[in-house]
Amino acid sequence: MDAENSRPIVAVPEKTLHDLGWPALLETLAARCHTERGSAAARGLVACDSADEARVRLADLAEACLLHELDLPPPFGGITDVELLLARAEKGGALEGEALLAVGQTLAACTRLRRHLVARATEAPRLAALAATTAELSHVSGPILESLDDKGQLLDHASPALGTLRRRLAALHDALARAARGLLEDAAVTPHLQDRFFTQRHDRYVVPVRSDARARVPGIVHGTSQSGQTVFIEPEAIVDLNNRLELGRSDVLEEELRILAELTGYVREEATGARTALAVATRLDLLDGSALFARALDASAPTLDDTGVLALKRARHPHLVLAGRDCVANDLLLGPGESLVISGPNAGGKTVALKTAGLLALMARAGLFLPVAHGSRIPFYRSVLSDIGDDQSLERNLSTFSAHLQNLRSFLDEASGAALILVDEIAAGTEPDQGAALAEAVLVALAARGAQVIATTHYERLKALPARDRRFVNASVGFDLARMAPTFELELGVPGSSGALFLARRLGLPAEVVTHAEALTGHGPAGIEELLIALTEERRRIAVERRELAEARRTVDAALGDAERARRDTDAERRRLRAGAHDGALAELARARDELGRLRKSLRRAASGSDDNADAVTTARAELLVVAGRIAEHAPAAAPMPGRLAELAELTAGTTVLVASLGARGQVVSPPERGRVTVQVGALRTAVALADVRIVAGAKGGAPPTPPRRATASTAPVAAPAPAPAPAPATTPATTPATAREDLAPTRTPELTLDVRGERVDDALARLDRFLDDALLGSREAVFVIHGHGTGALRDAVRRHADGHLGVSRLRPGAPRDGGDGVTVIWLDS
């Protein structure tokens, strides 16, 4: 369709608009707008000039729909059509109070609308940008609304002078009323009055005097009653007050007219901006009404396809949806230049499908959302033509068939690759064989011009056309034989049966008549019609089974969803319980740690005393074992180690083993001695207990050992006191003095090392406490703390804290091989 994009948009004929129900659709759209101008714009909605313009409308409409989804609808209250008032102001005429009030309220409402959308630029950037094209006109609406009441009357504070003048006028009214009441009580006047009251004539105070006594009351006559018995006289005594009242009224009126002229001048100066604001508000109102219209249709934005693909998913007829009637959703699929031939019984389903396609094409041209599923595509048709219904014209002396032929002729003249042509019962109303031949010839000619055609028919010749010409596709509308009613389900790819003889039999036409008719067709009961009916029934049965299967699948999916939610709830409960147990374990560990500190103090005091304290030492150590056991109860269960315990005979030099405490593989360096064996793990050579060595898959000289895993205090398991490890292999010369031997620390291994580099001091010291407690329980001789060099703050804090620990006997910086001053070696009380 790219070649067609340069062609001008073609106005849709009034007949097509009427055939498809377009005016009625626009009325339902107009009813959802908020302003008179918005409703008028909806009734006059026309197609966009191009696909790009339609895409812009769709994008704007998407934002309007989003604002409603977010419960942020734009405000349109107070906007009225003041175009004529703006024009009057521009011509120099002063607007009256009510007119000014309407202008002021409209401009204030436009300002509210502008601010609302500009503030929602994140959610609706396009609408915000559109609203921002208007000017803030509060400098016009503000003075107007501040000067007028809700009936359009000027308020006293509309100007500094107006209030004063009105108060002066009110005072004159009061003075006149008092003077008039005094005249009613005056003995010289009272006998001549027709009645004891005073009134006004020509805005002047008068009293009713009998006509025969009018000479007795000096004054000015201002008229008589209808009967002529009463003369209304303005007594001389109040003439001056009446004159002053008249002057006061004139002053007030003059000031009011001046104020109205001034306010009108504000409107005149900003008439162009006001007109722009009104036009933008109208456009926004149409978009908002379209969004409400889309919600009522449960509609979605289509993709405008430039290649000519029509792919409407679950399309529904808009009028049926809006009327609240059951509406069957159907798929409509056509490739570029393809045409659809719809067949089936005379029950209305074919025409509904035809009109649905046409009406949705018109809506897409106007930039409206369509009652289709997401992912639907539709071309931007530059012309939509239809021939639906009886077009007989007695005035033009045309039969129905002649009128249809004229329509088909015009279609052939206007058909192009960007046209959608809808024909109901093509070439019907004449001799069947000739009509079928003519219908096929017209469809082939339209296809040759590139147009997409959707035609309904009963002609068998047209049902067979898709088998001869790949540009045509069959479709059929289902019919429920049990209910004797159409299903309105469109089945693509297969023709449908007209079912005239079958329906005649089901509706009770005499059997001999139907049998005779079947014989006349030359097919008999087993003819093509019967086969098509059987096929229709089979398709209906399969469709029912598919729906049942889909329902069962939804049920299963719902059950799976419930099971998944139950699993998540169970996991959450398990985590909650585990967290509670962990908190309890931490509390118990804290209490045990306090008891350990107390026991260490007791042991020190007992050990420094006489031999009489031996029992106390024994008791304290027994309590220490109890506390250690309580700590061990809360230790996490150790993961099962791979492999098996090693036999002495297996631990020969070069054998690959797993050192459980290091979690790493190594190779035996020398045979076991005194319950320990020397193992090379990477760059580390260490003596480990036989119980710490396991045989795993892999013989001598197997895979190279994996690097040792760094252990920290937080990952080392808490264990009950264990026997002190055997001395390390004799690597120190025998001649080393005793004092030097005492200062030698064991080889630094991951299990003896705590790394606190980069941690905050408080966190590092808390980990150090736990690490020292675990080392004491494990009867470690010495441990290493890596704190790094840095500024020295963490190093000093570690050493001060360790030096004050009850279980620490001494400490020093690490040897060069251990990391120098970035490491502290800590000896523990054994």
Side-chain angles (χ1 to χ4, degrees):
M1 293 181 62
D2 291 340
E4 298 291 336
N5 287 338
S6 59
R7 292 171 62 93
I9 191 76
V10 177
V12 178
E14 286 296 326
K15 178 185 182 327
T16 295
L17 297 178
H18 174 76
D19 287 346
L20 301 179
W22 180 248
L25 190 76
L26 293 186
E27 277 297 329
T28 62
L29 171 59
R32 287 166 172 81
C33 294
H34 310 274
T35 67
E36 293 178 9
R37 289 174 61 92
S39 296
R43 294 186 185 96
L45 186 63
V46 296
C48 300
D49 289 333
S50 66
D52 289 339
E53 183 184 343
R55 291 187 181 100
V56 169
R57 284 194 193 177
L58 290 172
D60 291 345
L61 180 53
E63 291 188 357
C65 290
L66 177 61
L67 290 180
H68 279 277
E69 291 175 10
L70 298 175
D71 199 20
L72 296 171
F76 291 95
I79 298 177
T80 56
D81 188 359
V82 295
E83 175 61 37
L84 294 178
L85 301 180
L86 296 176
R88 188 190 307 168
E90 285 181 311
K91 291 179 180 179
L95 299 180
E96 298 177 353
E98 290 184 7
L100 281 170
L101 180 64
V103 173
Q105 290 175 336
T106 296
L107 297 184
C110 289
T111 297
R112 285 195 301 272
L113 178 62
R114 180 188 191 279
R115 292 175 179 174
H116 177 90
L117 291 174
V118 170
R120 272 82 184 170
T122 301
E123 298 85 359
R126 301 177 63 89
L127 300 189
L130 176 59
T133 60
T134 64
E136 288 254 359
L137 297 176
S138 53
H139 62 285
V140 177
S141 61
I144 292 175
L145 298 180
E146 290 172 1
S147 301
L148 300 170
D149 61 16
D150 56 0
K151 294 182 179 179
Q153 300 298 317
L154 284 170
L155 298 168
D156 288 350
H157 61 255
S159 75
L162 182 61
T164 301
L165 292 174
R166 284 181 171 176
R167 285 190 294 274
R168 186 181 303 163
L169 184 63
L172 287 172
H173 273 291
D174 291 342
L176 264 170
R178 288 195 301 272
R181 282 194 294 271
L183 288 173
L184 298 179
E185 303 297 331
D186 189 342
V189 176
T190 300
H192 311 297
L193 295 178
Q194 187 71 271
D195 204 346
R196 294 174 66 98
F197 69 87
F198 62 90
T199 184
Q200 286 184 318
R201 285 291 186 274
H202 309 300
D203 292 331
R204 299 181 73 86
Y205 282 77
V206 296
V207 294
V209 179
R210 298 196 316 273
S211 58
D212 59 342
R214 67 189 220 175
R216 304 296 182 96
V217 180
I220 302 172
V221 176
H222 286 279
T224 61
S225 65
Q226 290 183 352
S227 64
Q229 301 297 315
T230 304
V231 179
F232 296 101
I233 296 177
E234 177 186 357
E236 290 180 350
I238 60 174
V239 168
D240 182 60
L241 282 175
N242 266 325
N243 289 338
R244 291 166 59 191
L245 180 65
E246 186 66 26
L247 292 174
R249 287 197 189 98
S250 178
D251 292 340
V252 169
L253 179 60
E254 183 178 350
E255 179 63 13
E256 289 177 344
L257 292 176
R258 187 195 67 79
I259 295 171
L260 294 177
E262 180 180 355
L263 296 177
T264 302
Y266 297 157
V267 176
R268 183 181 304 110
E269 292 173 0
E270 294 291 353
T272 300
R275 193 173 281 109
T276 299
L278 193 61
V280 170
T282 300
R283 181 176 170 186
L284 290 170
D285 186 22
L286 177 58
L287 283 171
D288 193 70
S290 300
L292 295 174
F293 187 59
R295 293 184 69 179
L297 288 173
D298 190 21
S300 62
T303 297
L304 297 182
D305 190 281
D306 292 330
T307 66
V309 171
L310 174 67
L312 299 179
K313 302 177 181 179
R314 299 190 58 76
R316 291 159 292 132
H317 194 289
H319 286 308
L320 295 179
V321 176
L322 294 172
R325 295 170 56 185
D326 291 336
C327 185
V328 177
N330 285 306
D331 294 341
L332 284 169
L333 304 173
L334 280 179
E338 287 186 343
S339 296
L340 191 66
V341 179
I342 305 177
S343 53
N346 281 323
K350 301 190 300 299
T351 305
V352 169
L354 196 74
K355 290 185 175 181
T356 299
L359 197 50
L360 298 194
L362 295 182
M363 293 174 67
R365 281 167 41 112
L368 297 175
F369 282 11
L370 311 183
V372 295
H374 289 283
S376 294
R377 311 179 72 84
I378 188 170
F380 181 79
Y381 293 110
R382 295 189 171 272
S383 61
V384 178
L385 307 170
S386 71
D387 181 33
I388 302 173
D390 188 355
D391 200 24
Q392 186 179 36
S393 174
L394 296 177
E395 292 80 4
R396 292 187 296 156
N397 194 29
L398 291 177
S399 67
T400 299
F401 181 70
S402 299
H404 288 327
L405 286 181
Q406 285 200 353
N407 290 333
L408 293 176
R409 184 187 63 186
S410 66
F411 296 168
L412 290 169
D413 292 338
E414 299 179 25
S416 69
L420 176 65
I421 299 176
L422 312 169
V423 187
D424 193 22
E425 301 296 345
I426 183 169
T430 188
E431 193 277 323
D433 290 339
Q434 295 186 32
L438 179 61
E440 180 176 344
V442 170
L443 290 178
V444 169
L446 292 173
R449 288 162 170 76
Q452 286 180 316
V453 183
I454 302 178
T456 66
T457 187
H458 289 290
Y459 292 143
E460 297 295 334
R461 185 184 187 95
L462 296 188
K463 297 178 187 179
L465 180 59
R468 303 190 301 272
D469 191 331
R470 298 183 62 181
R471 293 174 297 181
F472 295 89
V473 179
N474 263 318
S476 60
V477 176
F479 189 84
D480 190 339
L481 296 175
R483 297 187 301 113
M484 297 300 294
T487 64
F488 295 99
E489 294 177 355
L490 190 67
E491 186 75 20
L492 298 175
V494 291
S497 168
S498 299
L501 298 181
F502 185 85
L503 292 176
R505 190 184 298 276
R506 291 292 299 267
L507 291 173
L509 213 63
E512 64 274 11
V513 174
V514 178
T515 302
H516 187 200
E518 289 172 345
L520 293 174
T521 63
H523 299 295
I528 185 66
E529 284 291 307
E530 293 294 331
L531 293 177
L532 288 176
I533 291 172
L535 178 61
T536 300
E537 277 295 287
E538 181 65 14
R539 290 201 311 270
R540 191 183 64 81
R541 184 187 63 78
I542 292 174
V544 171
E545 291 180 354
R546 283 178 178 172
R547 286 195 293 269
E548 292 175 350
L549 179 60
E551 181 62 30
R553 184 174 298 164
R554 283 193 292 271
T555 301
V556 171
D557 289 344
L560 289 175
D562 292 341
E564 177 62 20
R565 284 189 291 273
R567 184 192 66 77
R568 288 198 296 267
D569 293 344
T570 301
D571 289 346
E573 179 66 13
R574 185 183 297 113
R575 286 193 296 272
R576 187 186 65 78
L577 294 174
R578 185 180 298 162
H582 180 258
D583 292 343
L586 289 179
E588 183 65 20
L589 287 173
R591 288 191 293 271
R593 195 172 283 116
D594 292 340
E595 293 185 31
L596 279 175
R598 179 178 57 79
L599 289 174
R600 288 194 194 100
K601 292 179 181 178
S602 299
L603 285 171
R604 277 187 157 183
R605 288 195 298 271
S608 63
S610 64
D611 294 340
D612 295 338
N613 291 327
D615 291 342
V617 172
T618 301
T619 302
R621 283 181 174 169
E623 293 180 3
L624 182 62
L625 289 174
V626 171
V627 174
R630 286 163 55 192
I631 294 177
E633 288 176 2
H634 295 287
M641 295 297 295
R644 56 180 174 79
L645 292 175
E647 301 290 341
L648 288 176
E650 296 176 305
L651 299 178
T652 58
T655 301
T656 299
V657 294
L658 174 67
V659 181
S661 60
L662 298 180
R665 293 191 182 195
Q667 292 179 334
V668 175
V669 175
S670 59
E673 292 184 17
R674 292 180 296 174
R676 301 178 74 81
V677 61
T678 301
V679 179
Q680 183 76 32
V681 179
L684 173 69
R685 177 174 294 190
T686 182
V688 297
L690 292 175
D692 200 20
V693 177
R694 304 182 73 83
I695 297 294
V696 293
K700 284 186 179 180
T706 57
R709 181 181 59 194
R710 190 177 78 185
T712 63
S714 61
T715 59
V718 180
T731 57
T732 306
T735 58
T736 303
T739 55
R741 287 198 305 270
E742 290 177 358
D743 195 46
L744 288 175
T747 302
R748 180 160 67 86
T749 64
E751 63 180 352
L752 298 178
T753 304
L754 173 66
D755 189 348
V756 295
R757 286 176 292 184
E759 296 188 11
R760 294 171 57 249
V761 171
D762 291 344
D763 296 337
L765 297 184
R767 290 187 60 205
L768 178 60
D769 277 340
R770 295 193 294 270
F771 180 64
L772 293 177
D773 290 347
D774 295 341
L776 287 167
L777 290 173
S779 300
R780 306 295 187 189
E781 176 187 359
V783 293
F784 301 81
V785 180
I786 305 176
H787 41 66
H789 297 280
T791 63
L794 182 59
R795 175 197 63 201
D796 295 343
V798 166
R799 290 177 180 173
R800 283 196 304 271
H801 192 75
D803 191 46
H805 197 283
L806 294 174
V808 174
S809 60
R810 67 185 185 283
L811 53 87
R812 66 163 171 78
R817 70 174 185 276
D818 297 321
D821 199 36
V823 176
T824 296
V825 187
I826 302 174
W827 276 265
L828 304 175
D829 288 336
S830 58

